[in-house]
Amino acid sequence: MGFNNNPHVAKAVAAEQKANDASDESSRTQAWFDAARLWERAADREKSEKKASEYRANAARARTEGETSPAT
């Protein structure tokens, strides 16, 4: 167990895993947007600007994944 007190990081990672495992495009898209929201929450809660910047980059990447997922 690490010393990370930011629960949104683990939730964002889990949402990304859910997106990768999704069986249909709408679930995949929703999971990517959920991950982006959770990364933003993690960044807002983070005290270290370096980590907050990293989390914001993860949020942008997840949002891009959600936007580029083909809709069914």
Side-chain angles (χ1 to χ4, degrees):
M1 208 88 241
F3 295 107
N4 190 350
N5 292 328
N6 194 334
H8 302 296
V9 173
K11 291 177 184 179
V13 171
E16 287 186 354
Q17 185 62 46
K18 183 177 177 181
N20 288 325
D21 294 343
S23 59
D24 63 275
E25 291 302 321
S26 62
S27 295
R28 181 175 295 118
T29 299
Q30 185 61 47
W32 278 118
F33 286 127
D34 289 345
R37 180 181 54 81
L38 289 164
W39 280 121
E40 285 292 336
R41 290 181 73 183
D44 291 344
R45 187 170 173 156
E46 189 57 53
K47 292 179 175 89
S48 165
E49 189 54 43
K50 182 179 178 182
K51 284 192 176 200
S53 178
E54 178 184 332
Y55 297 161
R56 285 189 188 95
N58 289 346
R61 179 185 46 78
R63 205 169 284 109
T64 299
E65 287 287 338
E67 291 170 351
T68 58
S69 291
T72 56

